[in-house]
Amino acid sequence: MSEDAPLRFHVPEPEVRPGDRPDFSNVKIPQAGTVRRPRIDEDAEQFRDLAYSIIRVLNRQGEAVGPWAGTLGDDELLQGLRHMMLLRAFDARMLMAQRQGKTSFYMQHMGEEAVSCAFRKALRDGDMNFPTYRQAGLLIAGGYQMVDMMNQIYSNEADPLKGRQLPIMYSAKDHGFFSISGNLGTQFVQAVGWAMASAIKGDTKIAAGWIGDGSTAESDFHAALVFASTYRAPVILNIVNNQWAISTFQGIARGGSGTFAARGLGFGIPALRVDGNDYLAVHAVASWAAERARKNLGPTLVEYVTYRVGAHSTSDDPSAYRPKTESEAWPLGDPVIRLKNHLIVRGMWSDERHKQAEAEILDEVITAQKSAERHGTLHAGGKPSARDMFEGVYAEMPPHLRRQRQQAGV
Amino acid sequence: MPRKTMIEAIREAMDVAMERDDNVVVFGEDVGYFGGVFRATQGLQQKYGTSRCFDTPISELGIVGTAIGMAAYGLRPCVEVQFADYVYPAYDQIVSEAARLRYRSNGQFTCPIVVRMPTGGGIFGGQTHSQSPEALFTHVSGLKVVVPSNPHDAKGLLISAIADPDPVIFLEPKRLYNGPFDGHHERPVTPWAKHELGEVPAGHYEIPLGKAAVRREGKALTVLAYGTMVYVAQAAAEDTGIDAEILDLRTLLPLDLDAIVASVKKTGRCVIVHEATRTSGFGAELAALVQRHCFYHLEAPIIRVTGWDTPYPHAQEWDYFPGPARLGKAMIETMEA
Ligand SMILES: Cc1ncc(C[n+]2csc(CCOP(=O)(O)OP(=O)(O)O)c2C)c(N)n1
């Protein structure tokens, strides 16, 4: 007979569930401007504080403060605001288009616009992102045409991917945007491989991998870290912690590790957490990590602390698993409003101009949408040919596919 | 012409490819400094440096995943998975990523990688050093699957595979590394030095993917074989005295259907042999194709001789391995049908 008490199984639970009062008291948020800025060649061992804190630049008054401020000029800030507003308007229109049956599916960015929009500005042409599905801001901020994104979403005759991919699984090599996979996590280790190749060739380009908090549990994430660490690959490993993986709260994938950034420390990879709703902070940290990569100092792991305000996808209803008002209670605010307030504080912007910009941007999105829809939507109008379906599986079509195409009569 | 082992031929193929194209990189577990557990990459690191041939962490997913990223950049990675039995952690990267990258990006990104791995049994490797997973890859659109059966082909096929614009799974029957093995395990194996297919031309030559080879001409029946089974088929033909034609498929995807159809139409009989388990094995695909294209020429039902539908047993290896006795029995049965 054992005298030991029966073991108890542990399953982490979020603080609150639907019907409860939102509670983010467990998210420790330092004041803006208080987290130090390390040298880019500082030893990974010195990063413990940065892997557990949150780098912030914009304070509650809308001022940019502290050692991470000042990486952006006035025009860049105005442009940043515009990109985020564009992405938000784009999302709203495409969400509506999905509801109207013009496409099968959509995934929005609401609340996370700063992450990809600001990050893109820290990269140069020729660098390569290995994104997941919530980084369309990389395309918007990189000047990719909205109409091409919409053609892809509609799988119409002008779809650059010929209707072969799910909506929003863009691919734009010339814009440093790797083809998105529906299998979570796979791109993270591929980013490391791309960066290794750049180093092998003595190139100057760097790569960036992207992954969600939930997907860090995939083996690909860990393989990516070990390869990045072993070969000191010039890669920025980005974890977007938006608190939720569909209905599963971030504590499920995080386990006992405290933060996602902390996972980098065991691999000897400098790791930082940044306020993902602060355009300035994201840009500052991304630029810092990019400089490290460019100076051949190796990988950096960055955790963006943010919140997915919208539903996971058009197939999701978040009110089934979290309080309806949780997003309003999110302590890091809204990235668009925060940057807007900063610009107002700087005397560069006003509520009127913001309203006017919103109207102009909406116009721009609607114009793009109209021109995309002239090429068709998923169930109406032009679509890629069935003959195309057999193309591009291989560089050259093998005989069995040619036979099957004949059999299909296309 | 110099005679080489299959390992030497494979090494030469990588050497030639690396010399001709400095985008070719070779990596995997123990592949760099030591030259691989089967020594297939021996000397490559010394010759080409650590950026072109290097050791990796023990992570098949990491090896293939990074290779895909490198290929997207513009390199031509030729990676080694130490045994085919260990490819499963990388399976998602191969099937969902490498195989589909060209298609899903409409050609913006391509994936010219080669994943080399030793396959098959006959070396007392037990369950985890003996598997033949070819059917798991031939089922995947976007991949090419190659199984060489001799040093001469191994070199030419591997050079073609590395030059190929698409991902290639290169399965090396490890039992053939040192000599042709016909399943008569109680007899000593003749080394490649004594076999004409051990003759490996120096320098660069290619054997096109997708082309089978007739290893033995015959009129009575056709044996469809690949890898180690080519020699098992030859032994079975000798043991039974049946005038069998033996086709070495060499590439399973894309398959040389024309060669298969021509042979079976000539002989009117077909036996298929592979070492992998039977159910849903590649033999099922072959049987379906032969039935569809040669039905009016067939004089007997098609028979499959394969490994059993069990994991590869250790002590009972020779009961599992489809040797010449089992194949010969099927050939006689086919002739008598
Ligand atoms: C390998 C794999 N498993 C499961 C899924 C289904 N799935 C799609 S999104 C998702 C949640 C991902 O959460 P996270 O990584 O946190 O990213 P987020 O959606 O929050 O941006 C899941 C489970 C998938 N696409 N791929």
Side-chain angles (χ1 to χ4, degrees):
Chain A
M1 279 282 279
S2 163
E3 287 172 23
D4 294 338
L7 296 167
R8 269 169 295 124
F9 180 54
H10 170 71
V11 180
E13 269 295 322
E15 303 293 325
V16 294
R17 283 300 192 185
D20 297 340
R21 262 166 77 97
D23 177 14
F24 286 110
S25 55
N26 60 338
V27 185
K28 300 273 170 294
I29 298 176
Q31 276 194 351
T34 56
V35 177
R36 74 190 178 92
R37 182 188 171 104
R39 294 192 327 270
I40 56 165
D41 61 351
E42 196 167 302
D43 221 41
E45 283 171 34
Q46 310 302 317
F47 277 76
R48 202 189 138 79
D49 56 336
L50 292 147
Y52 283 90
S53 191
I54 301 178
I55 294 163
R56 306 176 62 229
V57 172
L58 291 176
N59 68 15
R60 306 223 176 265
Q61 288 73 48
E63 297 153 344
V65 293
W68 292 89
T71 60
L72 289 161
D74 289 356
D75 290 346
E76 292 167 310
L77 289 169
L78 283 169
Q79 200 190 39
L81 181 66
R82 205 186 116 70
H83 289 151
M84 290 199 285
M85 292 171 75
L86 206 54
L87 179 54
R88 192 165 284 191
F90 182 91
D91 271 347
R93 291 301 293 187
M94 290 297 101
L95 214 54
M96 205 192 309
Q98 191 274 341
R99 299 277 183 247
Q100 293 165 340
K102 292 174 179 173
T103 185
S104 55
F105 176 78
Y106 190 73
M107 298 182 92
Q108 60 173 326
H109 303 74
M110 175 83 85
E112 300 177 42
E113 290 90 346
V115 176
S116 52
C117 287
F119 186 89
R120 177 64 185 83
K121 301 315 280 181
L123 290 191
R124 298 185 190 147
D125 289 348
D127 294 340
M128 188 63 70
N129 281 289
F130 287 73
T132 165
Y133 44 70
R134 234 182 283 279
Q135 281 88 46
L138 296 171
L139 288 173
I140 298 260
Y144 190 73
Q145 293 304 302
M146 275 190 296
V147 60
D148 289 327
M149 295 166 75
M150 290 167 171
N151 288 333
Q152 199 281 328
I153 290 165
Y154 289 145
S155 292
N156 63 22
E157 66 191 10
D159 174 2
L161 307 182
K162 298 200 172 171
R164 292 172 185 160
Q165 265 285 39
L166 272 178
I168 62 99
M169 304 240 166
Y170 315 104
S171 175
K173 188 176 183 180
D174 295 344
H175 284 253
F177 195 95
F178 187 72
S179 152
I180 296 180
S181 175
N183 291 41
L184 292 174
T186 51
Q187 71 287 349
F188 213 59
V189 63
Q190 294 163 6
V192 176
W194 197 99
M196 286 165 68
S198 185
I200 286 169
K201 296 306 275 184
D203 202 343
T204 55
K205 302 187 202 100
I206 63 169
W210 293 87
I211 201 164
D213 49 277
S215 307
T216 57
E218 290 283 2
S219 316
D220 309 62
F221 172 79
H222 301 89
L225 261 57
V226 74
F227 275 68
S229 155
T230 297
Y231 302 107
R232 259 190 255 153
V235 65
I236 308 171
L237 298 165
N238 297 306
I239 304 170
V240 183
N241 177 3
N242 65 7
Q243 310 302 317
W244 292 95
I246 313 185
S247 71
T248 306
F249 92 115
Q250 46 92 17
I252 287 285
R254 197 191 66 233
S257 70
T259 70
F260 290 96
R263 293 209 192 279
L265 298 179
F267 288 88
I269 299 177
L272 316 89
R273 293 176 96 212
V274 56
D275 177 349
N277 290 18
D278 179 343
Y279 187 94
L280 285 75
V282 170
H283 182 267
V285 169
S287 306
W288 184 92
E291 194 188 345
R292 262 181 58 76
R294 286 188 221 289
K295 293 251 161 74
N296 213 29
L297 293 164
T300 306
L301 186 74
V302 183
E303 175 183 343
Y304 302 85
V305 183
T306 182
Y307 186 88
R308 166 166 65 69
V309 174
H312 169 74
S313 74
T314 45
S315 317
D316 173 48
D317 173 14
S319 69
Y321 52 82
R322 65 188 191 188
K324 274 201 170 74
T325 53
E326 192 178 81
S327 66
E328 289 149 40
W330 176 244
L332 294 174
D334 176 290
V336 176
I337 294 171
R338 282 177 68 190
L339 183 53
K340 172 189 163 197
N341 289 343
H342 176 59
L343 292 174
I344 290 174
V345 166
R346 283 174 80 130
M348 296 158 54
W349 201 243
S350 65
D351 280 318
E352 296 74 61
R353 285 178 73 179
H354 196 81
K355 275 212 180 62
Q356 196 187 337
E358 265 176 346
E360 283 166 14
I361 282 168
L362 181 60
D363 246 18
E364 206 178 313
V365 176
I366 290 172
T367 307
Q369 189 181 8
K370 280 187 180 145
S371 91
E373 289 182 6
R374 275 197 282 278
H375 294 288
T377 60
L378 183 60
H379 301 297
K383 57 177 183 181
S385 81
R387 200 182 157 80
D388 272 349
M389 179 172 77
F390 292 93
E391 302 281 348
V393 181
Y394 299 92
E396 239 180 89
M397 192 178 294
H400 68 285
L401 274 183
R402 200 164 300 127
R403 276 195 301 277
Q404 288 176 22
R405 191 178 64 187
Q406 270 164 10
Q407 225 176 330
V410 290
Chain B
M1 215 182 286
R3 292 197 174 170
K4 304 265 167 67
T5 67
M6 199 147 138
I7 280 290
E8 288 165 335
I10 286 164
R11 185 189 306 145
E12 270 191 25
M14 286 185 272
D15 192 358
V16 166
M18 291 175 91
E19 196 160 296
R20 285 165 61 93
D21 180 356
D22 61 15
N23 287 317
V24 177
V25 289
V26 168
F27 55 97
E29 294 153 24
D30 302 299
V31 160
Y33 180 80
F34 178 60
V37 289
F38 289 100
R39 320 317 305 276
T41 56
Q42 195 174 23
L44 296 178
Q45 182 172 81
Q46 269 171 304
K47 187 164 172 190
Y48 297 101
T50 48
S51 321
R52 305 229 7 235
C53 178
F54 52 89
D55 290 319
T56 63
I58 302 171
S59 167
E60 291 72 22
L61 190 168
I63 293 167
V64 175
T66 52
I68 293 169
M70 290 184 199
Y73 174 92
L75 298 191
R76 286 184 172 265
C78 175
V79 302
E80 178 175 299
V81 169
Q82 209 156 62
F83 285 85
D85 312 68
Y86 307 137
V87 75
Y88 307 113
Y91 195 60
D92 180 43
Q93 285 286 343
I94 295 173
V95 170
S96 314
E97 306 298 318
R100 301 208 198 135
L101 192 50
R102 174 188 295 280
Y103 192 72
R104 78 175 195 221
S105 71
N106 192 21
Q108 288 176 7
F109 296 95
T110 61
C111 195
I113 66 172
V114 177
V115 185
R116 286 181 43 241
M117 52 190 117
T119 57
I123 59 148
F124 284 97
Q127 296 176 27
T128 55
H129 301 83
S130 307
Q131 292 167 52
S132 298
E134 62 271 17
L136 297 175
F137 297 110
T138 54
H139 195 55
V140 181
S141 345
L143 296 180
K144 295 184 178 180
V145 179
V146 177
V147 189
S149 70
N150 60 71
H152 175 267
D153 285 6
K155 180 172 171 186
L157 287 167
L158 183 53
I159 290 176
S160 298
I162 294 172
D164 198 275
D166 291 307
V168 181
I169 304 299
F170 198 84
L171 300 168
E172 302 169 2
K174 62 177 102 55
R175 186 61 222 232
L176 299 182
Y177 275 158
N178 294 313
F181 175 68
D182 66 8
H184 280 302
H185 53 94
E186 64 293 342
R187 296 185 198 159
V189 176
T190 31
W192 284 116
K194 299 225 170 89
H195 197 288
E196 56 175 6
L197 286 170
E199 286 182 0
V200 178
H204 175 264
Y205 67 95
E206 295 190 14
I207 293 180
L209 306 188
K211 290 275 171 272
V214 178
R215 294 297 172 205
R216 183 187 200 272
E217 301 221 13
K219 297 194 186 68
L221 70 82
T222 299
V223 181
L224 300 179
Y226 50 92
T228 315
M229 293 302 126
V230 170
Y231 305 97
V232 171
Q234 283 172 348
E238 276 158 37
D239 295 354
T240 58
I242 293 171
D243 183 20
E245 177 144 301
I246 298 168
L247 213 56
D248 176 355
L249 299 176
R250 301 203 287 196
T251 303
L252 307 187
L253 184 66
L255 185 67
D256 192 348
L257 183 60
D258 293 345
I260 294 169
V261 171
S263 179
V264 177
K265 280 189 175 170
K266 181 174 87 174
T267 62
R269 290 180 157 84
C270 179
V271 177
I272 295 161
V273 59
H274 63 59
E275 203 181 326
T277 47
R278 178 173 309 163
T279 302
S280 302
F282 191 65
E285 178 64 30
L286 292 171
L289 286 168
V290 170
Q291 198 274 356
R292 172 73 183 83
H293 293 276
C294 308
F295 182 70
Y296 295 107
H297 296 79
L298 283 175
E299 289 169 35
I302 305 159
I303 301 186
R304 283 184 287 166
V305 179
T306 68
W308 308 119
D309 284 349
T310 69
Y312 215 110
H314 182 240
Q316 305 91 328
E317 180 160 76
W318 300 121
D319 300 300
Y320 181 92
F321 191 91
R326 221 150 87 200
L327 177 58
K329 218 173 121 205
M331 288 162 68
I332 293 167
E333 191 186 328
T334 306
M335 291 310 295
E336 289 170 350

